[in-house]
């Protein structure tokens, strides 16, 4: 499998997968092949190339939908999780599903992309309510469930990009259904690392990004439960999503086309499907196993270092991500030495989660995040590097 990933030739211990993953040859080739031999705009053309491109785009939709257990029409292509959440928040307001006086429930764990789009709705008389985490940044599902009364919609991360906590979405969705609360899951980290099946979960909406699961950047998806497809207003309007247009008014195409105005990222969709094919073949159960093994090995090794503070659950609820700080040393200095001296790539800073940083009482953390091509050797190199950082700067 390692030979599938050309980036490994760089001999970099790449531990920044929560930011973006690397691509296997299969994805790179699928995108190159599209541009080389099938490039044309979709849907509107009747020439051969346009029909080929349309078929590839729609096949990609089928494949990505299958990956999460959705029907193709429930899968809207977007530019990524951020664009999906902007889409769904605006569409819910435009469609009158969310109305003045409604309350949206969020948590302190959320990425800015699952916070700012909802903050924007305040001007429509929507209010936000938050479930807090504990001092280590751990979210309790029971606290989320207790806070649901009187709430219209819960928008929650499925897996924290800072602490790696895998939120028990099944439990939360189950309670939400009983209380009549709509649920949107930010699946940016969840979908790449854990098998998600919306047909069993009964979610309302789910957002995720291709680039965090071996696919291209600028590509993502929004799952919309079919019960909303007819009445949900599109976020973007314009070319490609219309039925009949007059100077005064227009009708829209059927879903999901009505949600995809303008020329989409066609090659991105093809690359996304190739990434999903790769994950299907590799097996999500293997992805989950590798992520868990590396996470528990990293936690075990980092616990040996008495100058390291760990955040998050630090138990089996945590997967694919470890977040920590080195006593007395700024995270950026840690990352610089790891990069320059050990070729270990980690991410430092607030990880687009400033409220969580404030809650943890830190300006930022160091974050190592894993994916299927990582090995224990990468973790060992990280630990060796941290020991040196401590000796040199601590
Ligand atoms: N939500 C979470 C939990 C994330 O980790 C990220 C990206 O890091 C996002 C949302 C935003 O994803 P994108 O930048 O692909 O839109």
């Amino acid at each position: 499998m390692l030979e599938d990933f050309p980036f490994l030739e760089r001999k970099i211990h790449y531990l920044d997968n929560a930011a973006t993953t690397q691509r296997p040859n299969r994805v790179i080739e699928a995108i190159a092949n599209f541009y080389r031999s099938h490039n044309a705009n979709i849907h509107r053309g009747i020439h051969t190339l346009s029909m080929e491109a349309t078929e590839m785009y729609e096949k990609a939709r089928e494949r990505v939908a299958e990956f999460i257990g959705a029907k193709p029409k429930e899968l809207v292509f977007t530019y990524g999780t951020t664009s999906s959440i902007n889409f769904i928040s605006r569409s819910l307001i435009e469609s009158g599903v969310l109305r003045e006086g409604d309350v949206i429930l969020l948590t302190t764990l959320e990425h800015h992309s699952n916070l700012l789009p909802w903050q924007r709705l305040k001007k429509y008389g929507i209010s936000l309510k938050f479930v807090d985490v504990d001092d280590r940044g751990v979210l309790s599902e029971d606290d989320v469930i207790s806070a649901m009364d009187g709430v219209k919609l819960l928008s929650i991360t499925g897996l924290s990009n800072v602490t790696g906590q895998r939120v028990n979405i099944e439990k939360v969705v189950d309670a939400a259904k009983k209380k009549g609360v709509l649920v949107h899951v930010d699946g940016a980290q969840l979908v790449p690392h854990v098998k998600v099946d919306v047909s069993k979960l009964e979610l309302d909406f789910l957002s995720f990004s291709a680039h965090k699961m071996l696919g291209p950047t600028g590509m993502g998806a929004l799952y919309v439960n079919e019960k909303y497809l007819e009445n949900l207003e599109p976020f973007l309007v314009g070319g490609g999503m219309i039925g009949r247009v007059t100077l005064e008014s227009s009708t829209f195409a059927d879903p999901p086309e009505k949600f995809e105005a303008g020329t989409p990222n066609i090659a991105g969709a093809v690359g996304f499907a190739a990434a999903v094919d790769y994950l299907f073949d590799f097996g999500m159960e293997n992805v989950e196993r590798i992520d868990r093994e590396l996470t528990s090995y990293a936690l075990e090794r980092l616990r040996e270092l008495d100058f390291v503070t760990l955040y998050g659950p630090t138990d089996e609820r945590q997967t694919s991500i470890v977040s920590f700080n080195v006593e007395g040393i700024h995270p950026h200095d840690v990352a610089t030495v790891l990069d320059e001296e050990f070729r270990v790539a980690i991410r430092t800073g607030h990880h687009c989660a400033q409220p969580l940083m404030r809650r943890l009482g830190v300006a930022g953390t160091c974050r190592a995040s894993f994916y299927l091509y990582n090995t224990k050797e990468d973790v060992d190199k990280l630990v060796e590097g941290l020991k040196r950082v401590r000796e040199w700067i601590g």
Side-chain angles (χ1 to χ4, degrees):
M1 172 270 281
L2 296 182
E3 63 283 359
D4 298 340
F5 290 87
F7 92 95
L8 288 169
E9 285 163 22
R10 297 284 314 270
K11 305 253 179 279
I12 290 170
H13 299 279
Y14 185 76
L15 299 177
D16 196 17
N17 292 286
T20 198
T21 55
Q22 298 295 340
R23 283 75 173 137
N25 279 320
R26 200 150 145 188
V27 169
I28 298 165
E29 264 313 304
I31 294 169
N33 177 50
F34 173 78
Y35 281 127
R36 223 184 274 124
S37 310
H38 306 280
N39 180 50
N41 210 334
I42 56 167
H43 292 319
R44 289 168 289 278
I46 50 159
H47 58 80
T48 303
L49 274 182
S50 176
M51 287 190 283
E52 281 173 18
T54 303
E55 195 182 325
M56 289 169 86
Y57 184 75
E58 291 305 329
K59 278 244 153 62
R61 188 194 308 281
E62 282 170 26
R63 198 67 175 140
V64 178
E66 191 186 341
F67 188 72
I68 57 157
K71 297 178 182 146
K73 67 178 175 186
E74 296 175 311
L75 202 286
V76 181
F77 279 134
T78 66
Y79 303 108
T81 303
T82 306
S83 118
S84 297
I85 303 176
N86 274 275
F87 175 124
I88 194 59
S89 57
R90 297 304 296 228
S91 293
L92 289 173
I93 273 285
E94 292 254 345
S95 321
V97 178
L98 285 177
R99 294 197 189 136
E100 191 175 347
D102 281 345
V103 178
I104 296 175
L105 185 63
L106 302 162
T107 82
T108 319
L109 271 189
E110 304 313 320
H111 187 282
H112 295 160
S113 291
N114 192 29
L115 175 60
L116 274 69
W118 305 111
Q119 283 178 348
R120 254 191 158 181
L121 302 189
K122 283 187 181 178
K123 62 172 176 276
Y124 300 99
I126 304 286
S127 52
L128 307 184
K129 185 174 160 185
F130 295 92
V131 183
D132 203 5
V133 293
D134 71 12
D135 292 347
R136 286 165 48 225
V138 181
L139 182 73
S140 147
E141 288 83 359
D142 289 334
D143 289 350
V144 177
I145 293 166
S146 313
M148 278 179 190
D149 292 332
V151 163
K152 183 67 180 266
L153 175 126
L154 164 71
S155 185
I156 187 168
T157 184
L159 200 161
S160 163
N161 67 304
V162 177
T163 63
Q165 176 176 358
R166 199 211 143 173
V167 177
N168 188 337
I169 290 300
E170 294 78 3
K171 179 170 169 177
V172 167
V173 171
D174 204 40
K177 291 293 117 185
K178 288 187 186 126
K179 296 186 186 216
V181 176
L182 302 178
V183 183
H184 163 259
V185 171
D186 171 351
Q189 302 294 341
L190 181 73
V191 175
H193 296 278
V194 177
K195 175 79 194 140
V196 174
D197 185 346
V198 292
S199 69
K200 295 201 180 109
L201 254 182
E202 288 188 61
L203 277 182
D204 297 296
F205 313 106
L206 170 72
S207 302
F208 54 110
S209 302
H211 70 100
K212 294 185 195 288
M213 45 191 286
L214 311 178
T217 50
M219 189 65 210
L222 172 69
Y223 158 77
V224 179
N225 189 305
E226 77 177 316
K227 61 182 174 232
Y228 304 105
L229 287 175
E230 279 316 314
N231 295 332
L232 204 63
E233 286 284 324
F235 171 44
L236 295 175
V237 291
M241 49 75 73
I242 50 92
R244 183 163 187 277
V245 178
T246 70
L247 287 178
E248 304 303 333
S249 65
S250 309
T251 61
F252 302 148
D254 289 335
E257 230 174 278
K258 88 167 175 187
F259 299 118
E260 295 176 0
T263 301
N265 183 355
I266 308 165
V270 170
F272 198 174
V276 158
D277 280 342
Y278 190 94
L279 291 171
F280 263 123
D281 288 352
F282 190 77
M284 281 307 285
E285 65 287 359
N286 292 320
V287 173
E288 286 188 38
R289 180 180 48 75
I290 292 169
D291 285 341
R292 269 295 308 142
E293 277 170 13
L294 290 175
T295 307
S296 62
Y297 181 64
L299 289 170
E300 183 189 315
R301 298 280 341 255
L302 290 171
R303 272 197 207 99
E304 290 165 11
L305 310 178
D306 60 3
F307 52 88
V308 163
T309 305
L310 289 163
Y311 304 101
T314 66
D315 57 25
E316 68 289 341
R317 285 172 294 174
Q318 187 169 335
T319 191
S320 77
I321 294 170
V322 290
S323 224
F324 57 91
N325 267 319
V326 178
E327 197 178 63
I329 306 177
H330 195 282
H332 290 344
D333 294 334
V334 175
T336 305
V337 176
L338 288 176
D339 177 55
E340 288 176 1
E341 303 291 332
F342 297 91
R343 297 178 76 80
V344 172
I346 63 161
R347 183 148 297 244
T348 53
H350 55 63
H351 314 295
C352 295
Q354 287 186 5
L356 178 59
M357 294 299 119
R358 232 164 267 129
R359 181 65 180 84
L360 294 172
V362 295
T365 73
C366 302
R367 180 185 74 183
S369 50
F370 313 110
Y371 213 26
L372 44 92
Y373 35 69
N374 287 122
T375 62
K376 285 188 173 171
E377 198 196 323
D378 296 322
V379 177
D380 290 339
K381 208 65 186 168
L382 168 71
V383 172
E384 185 193 330
L386 290 174
K387 287 181 182 162
R388 288 300 173 78
V389 170
R390 172 72 169 180
E391 274 168 36
W392 292 340
I393 339 182

